[in-house]
């Protein structure tokens, strides 16, 4: 039995739903106490008391939880050697005292949902905070002692111009932030934007231009993963285990985990989860073929790309022979290049990663 050293915990609550977001969450905050009790039950049932290297509280909006409840969950884990405990924060929900208390119980990394600093666009996408609240949250976090702060930005938002986006990047650059997650807007089923597509969305050329500016403006960050930029030594340790295709615990409503070669997920129905938190809804034994495909798909998300010798040994294959046609086809383009140890996508390749990588699957 392998015991994962990394844990994801889902907190499925939000004060309100943003127009673009399909993450599992409810605005029924009356369920918080019952939910946390169920979550604790699941953790006690499944967690094997082994030391954790990373813990990630994601959502929804973890910062909806009172710090006492966060501590109750957090205390269940053996964290002697724990390197990174990340907590997702929405500026709408926090003040200085809250962040200071989080820091004091041992949370050492914050991921703050900024999306944009443009007041008009924040309204158009259904965010309830102002740019000032976002800036305050970053300042509070720094004053509370956090030295590892990540922000989420989205590009391709309704009415967003390249200049708007450049202004967002400029603000981030001047804020002593260590990490940026940058997502292109996706129109996800079960969202307001999916039902009624906003009119003034930037087209794909404009989106590509915005993407190109990111690396230019955030020139003190490394673009180490398709959607992530970090200053040196601040790469997200927890998320990196996903891209390295390693195993991890997943706890909570709609959480996914990977253990002993089995990928599992919990129900995304919060009532059902509260009733039966220890039952996985889906369990899937990952076949060798799927493992190899996942390794390639996830590995190419990283700027280092894939290590051919490592893959050959792990899967007992000759990678270059097996994928000769695809490699030949894309090495002749601007999307794929050879590295010292294997292959990686280029900046242009990152933008078209779905097309290139689907060929391997
Ligand atoms: C769980 S939320 C982060 C924490 C908190 N709930 C908040 O919104 O401030 C995860 C992040 O995913 C990104 N996201 C969610 N839906 C998206 C979409 N449809 N397109 C692009 N990015 C999206 C946003 O940047 C968001 O901050
Ligand atoms: S982006 Fe964050 S706050 Fe908005 S609905 Fe999604 S999880 Fe909730």
């Amino acid at each position: 039995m392998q015991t994962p050293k990394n844990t994801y915990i889902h907190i499925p609550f939000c004060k309100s739903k943003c127009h673009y977001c399909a993450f599992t969450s409810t605005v029924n905050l009356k369920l918080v106490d019952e939910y946390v009790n169920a979550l604790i039950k699941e953790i006690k049932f499944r967690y094997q008391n082994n030391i954790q290297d990373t813990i990630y509280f994601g959502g929804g909006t973890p910062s909806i939880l009172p710090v006492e409840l966060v501590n109750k969950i957090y205390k269940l884990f053996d964290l002697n050697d724990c390197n990174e405990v990340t907590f997702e924060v929405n500026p709408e929900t926090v003040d200085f005292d809250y962040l200071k208390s989080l820091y004091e119980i041992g949370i050492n990394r914050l991921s703050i949902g900024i999306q944009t600093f443009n007041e008009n666009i924040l309204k158009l996408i259904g965010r309830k905070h102002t740019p000032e609240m976002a800036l305050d949250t970053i300042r509070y976090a720094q004053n509370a002692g956090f030295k590892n702060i990540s922000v989420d930005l989205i590009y391709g938002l309704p009415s967003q111009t390249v200049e708007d986006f450049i202004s967002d990047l400029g603000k981030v650059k001047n804020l002593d932030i260590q990490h940026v997650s940058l997502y292109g807007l996706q129109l996800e089923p079960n969202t307001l934007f999916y039902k009624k597509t906003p009119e003034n969305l930037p087209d794909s050329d404009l989106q590509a231009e915005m993407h190109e500016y990111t690396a230019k403006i955030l020139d003190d960050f490394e673009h180490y993963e398709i959607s992530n930029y970090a200053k040196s030594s601040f790469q997200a340790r927890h998320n990196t285990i996903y891209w390295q295709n390693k195993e991890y615990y997943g706890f909570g409503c709609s959480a996914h985990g990977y253990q002993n070669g089995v990928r599992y997920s919990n129900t995304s129905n919060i009532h059902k989860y509260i009733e039966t938190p220890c039952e996985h809804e889906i369990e899937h034994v990952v076949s060798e073929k799927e493992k190899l495909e996942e390794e390639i798909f996830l590995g190419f998300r990283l700027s280092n790309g894939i290590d051919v010798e490592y893959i050959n040994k792990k899967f007992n294959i000759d990678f270059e022979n097996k994928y000769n046609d695809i490699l030949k086809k894309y090495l002749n383009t601007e999307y794929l290049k050879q590295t010292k140890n294997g292959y990686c996508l280029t900046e242009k390749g990152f933008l078209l990663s779905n097309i290139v990588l689907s060929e391997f699957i």
Side-chain angles (χ1 to χ4, degrees):
M1 284 280 275
Q2 286 171 27
T3 44
K5 290 198 299 193
N6 307 277
T7 291
Y8 175 82
I9 300 169
H10 194 75
I11 307 297
F13 296 100
C14 292
K15 268 196 163 172
S16 58
K17 284 299 280 187
C18 306
H19 300 343
Y20 53 86
C21 181
F23 282 64
T24 300
S25 70
T26 169
V27 294
N28 181 359
L29 304 187
K30 286 193 195 120
L31 295 174
V32 165
D33 286 331
E34 271 180 277
Y35 179 77
V36 170
N37 287 338
L39 181 63
I40 290 174
K41 231 188 243 173
E42 188 199 359
I43 295 170
K44 284 187 173 163
F45 178 72
R46 217 176 290 291
Y47 168 55
Q48 287 159 337
N49 297 318
N50 60 316
I51 291 175
Q52 294 299 286
D53 180 48
T54 69
I55 296 189
Y56 192 104
F57 288 88
T61 305
S63 53
I64 289 266
L65 293 185
V67 178
E68 303 76 62
L69 288 187
V70 180
N71 199 25
K72 222 168 145 183
I73 302 165
Y74 179 62
K75 268 195 340 217
L76 298 171
F77 294 93
D78 186 344
L79 300 160
N80 277 344
D81 211 10
C82 195
N83 274 297
E84 187 189 272
V85 187
T86 303
F87 198 83
E88 287 183 355
V89 164
N90 180 328
E92 188 193 357
T93 58
V94 296
D95 58 17
F96 173 75
D97 290 341
Y98 183 87
L99 295 179
K100 180 108 182 99
S101 307
L102 277 186
Y103 187 72
E104 281 167 1
I105 65 166
I107 308 292
N108 60 16
R109 182 172 186 270
L110 294 184
S111 171
I112 307 175
I114 301 288
Q115 323 312 348
T116 173
F117 289 103
N118 183 299
E119 181 145 27
N120 182 38
I121 301 175
L122 282 172
K123 282 188 189 140
L124 289 176
I125 64 176
R127 300 288 287 185
K128 303 292 182 222
H129 59 83
T130 60
E132 289 72 32
M133 286 160 81
L135 289 167
D136 282 347
T137 301
I138 295 169
R139 197 165 39 83
Y140 295 153
Q142 288 163 338
N143 291 343
F146 286 96
K147 290 166 197 69
N148 191 350
I149 299 174
S150 179
V151 294
D152 289 345
L153 289 183
I154 306 182
Y155 67 98
L157 292 168
S159 89
Q160 192 176 38
T161 62
V162 174
E163 289 70 30
D164 291 331
F165 183 63
I166 290 176
S167 158
D168 284 346
L169 292 173
K171 290 217 168 63
V172 166
K173 192 179 164 73
N174 290 325
L175 280 169
D176 195 18
I177 298 291
Q178 288 70 40
H179 188 278
V180 179
S181 295
L182 175 67
Y183 306 108
L185 178 70
Q186 304 291 323
L187 297 180
E188 302 279 3
N190 300 320
T191 62
L192 211 69
F193 277 179
Y194 193 80
K195 282 187 207 121
K196 192 172 181 309
T197 308
E199 274 158 23
N200 36 13
L201 287 179
D203 63 21
S204 55
D205 286 347
L206 269 191
Q207 286 203 33
E209 206 181 320
M210 291 178 187
H211 191 265
E212 258 174 51
Y213 270 108
T214 310
K216 279 189 203 151
I217 295 175
L218 300 183
D219 54 359
D220 42 352
F221 288 72
E222 182 198 356
H223 188 184
Y224 72 101
E225 195 270 343
I226 289 186
S227 308
N228 288 285
Y229 299 72
K231 287 191 179 154
S232 102
S233 82
F234 286 101
Q235 287 88 350
R237 203 176 161 96
H238 180 85
N239 300 46
T240 300
I241 62 120
Y242 301 147
W243 304 317
Q244 290 175 341
N245 206 12
K246 294 196 176 144
E247 301 203 335
Y248 56 95
Y249 289 114
F251 298 115
C253 178
S254 83
H256 297 250
Y258 187 22
Q259 209 175 340
N260 300 314
V262 178
R263 288 201 181 270
Y264 58 82
S265 53
N266 287 342
T267 174
S268 47
N269 177 324
I270 188 161
H271 299 285
K272 199 166 165 207
Y273 178 78
I274 287 171
E275 263 171 44
T276 53
C278 301
E279 277 175 27
H280 288 152
E281 185 166 77
I282 299 172
E283 291 191 349
H284 174 71
V285 180
V286 185
S287 68
E288 278 308 294
K289 180 173 174 285
E290 287 167 330
K291 276 186 192 158
L292 171 61
E293 289 174 356
E294 286 176 351
E295 190 93 17
I296 294 170
F297 197 81
L298 294 165
F300 270 123
R301 292 191 61 101
L302 290 162
S303 61
N304 290 342
I306 55 156
D307 181 330
V308 166
E309 203 182 312
Y310 172 80
I311 288 198
N312 284 349
K313 263 200 197 134
K314 185 165 173 183
F315 295 96
N316 197 20
I317 58 166
D318 179 344
F319 178 85
E320 280 162 328
N321 191 23
K322 188 171 168 75
Y323 297 109
N324 183 35
D325 292 349
I326 307 170
L327 293 173
K328 246 195 195 154
K329 174 173 165 188
Y330 282 104
L331 282 171
N332 283 327
T333 66
E334 298 168 290
Y335 306 135
L336 186 76
K337 65 179 184 198
Q338 207 149 9
T339 63
K340 210 168 98 218
N341 301 320
Y343 300 89
C344 71
L345 292 176
T346 60
E347 279 290 325
K348 284 210 164 110
F350 273 165
L351 268 179
L352 293 180
S353 62
N354 283 346
I355 297 171
V356 182
L357 297 184
S358 64
E359 301 239 19
F360 288 94
I361 309 280

